[in-house]
Amino acid sequence: MSLRTPPTLLRLSGESLLRDQASAIAALEYLPAELFPLLFIQAYHRRMQKPLKAMVQAWPFTVLPLGCLSQMSLNKLLKAVLDGLDVLLAQEVRARRWKLRVLDFRNTGAKFWRMWCGDSTQKCSRTEPVAVHGSSPNMQHPLAPLEVFLDLNFNERDGDEFLKYILQWAQQREGLLHLCCKAVRISEVPFQRVRRVLDGVQLDCIQEVEVNCAWDLPTLGTFALYLGQMSNLQRLSLSYIDVLAEEEDWEEEEDWDRKQQEEQRSFSQFLSQMLRLRHHLNMESPSFLRGRLDQMLRCLQTPLDKLCITNCQQLTHSDLTHLFQCPNLKQLKSLHLFGLSLADFSLEPLGALLEAVAPTLEDLGLDNCEMVDSQVEAILPVLSRCHQLRGFTISENNFSVDTVEKLLRHTARLSSLELELYPVPLEYYRIQGTVNEERLALLRAELTGILKELGQPRSIFLGTKYCHNSGKCKVYDVEFS
């Protein structure tokens, strides 16, 4: 038998008030501000359009976060909210209690609703949006009494009806409100679908772009024309942009040459629009950058704060050298390289980069990069000088126990370090590739002794190989407190 938590007096009061909708609406003028959120949630769940419309007009807070409530769907409740806003916007003289300045359709607001309503909401993201409320400082738009925030999310599951409805609603009220789309996320949808929506938004509002599509370079080149208009772009993430496959059966050599020329023109067009990017660049499986990475890095006009490149075995040694010597990486706070092939590559250029960013670097990931013992010597000394480092992961590499111990000793005095992930040493695998648990238990005891010898409370983790290939990776903790 399960015991249910009894409803609070506040909740019971809200339910009682909503039994008579006319009385509830009349009472809003005298209702304390702290009662509004719960009453709003209750009216929403009971699908009461008239109380919702009235509460929007009397909303006593500057922000109304709706994203996690509407779940980006078009329904009568959403239209009731917008009708309430229309009543406000139509007023030539603002009502005394009109405090609403921001209508937020992003999947945020969990903190607001939890603070006032406990766990009455679901599916709110616990992460913060890409930026705080308020338009970008470089943007110019008429002073509007209301700002509307909306993320543009394109995927196979959801249609675009909601986005198109809000865009049309906002366009019809131009001058009365300002619509700001700060994030664009595209996942496996035709580009034409994205293009139709982007043509109707103010592109200099956009600060974050995430593309998770198997696009070819000509499609990326066309999309880049939109990127070039995003003057406040802070974060760009590209995944699975593809290039021509040499093994494909081309009927004519002229076709191959023509396609290659088209790809190069598209890549040049992409580069020409990358000039405005600042802060954060994330690329997954960027095979299109093979032999071209230096061109992309040279086109950046401002230093990056964060760089992440994952799953790109195709990068050449020349690409890697240009990467580590790039002047616009000298102020990095975060560097993550995962699934790159650093085998047979001298890590001295990487050591020089780490030396340059040692005063600023906070996160360093070098996982699954096919590194071996002899390469680590090039970065050991500089690791001990990265005093701002909070996260350091170097798992899924081919290290012996001696190298793991050296890494522990060279990071011992980094007082800000909170997360450390090292590989299970090679000596502790059986021939079949599985971990010898008995021997590993002895190693963990030895490493605990080393942590004790170093004299600082510390927790580290050891990760097995093949984590991301088989999904069977295991992590072991070692702690001295």
Side-chain angles (χ1 to χ4, degrees), residues 212-229:
N212 186 18
C213 296
W215 284 353
D216 57 15
L217 267 178
T219 303
L220 178 63
T222 304
F223 179 66
L225 298 176
Y226 292 92
L227 285 177
Q229 299 177 62

Side-chain angles (χ1 to χ4, degrees), residues 324-335:
F324 298 138
Q325 294 178 348
C326 176
N328 280 322
L329 302 186
K330 303 299 185 182
Q331 298 178 27
L332 280 177
K333 294 181 179 179
S334 177
L335 174 63

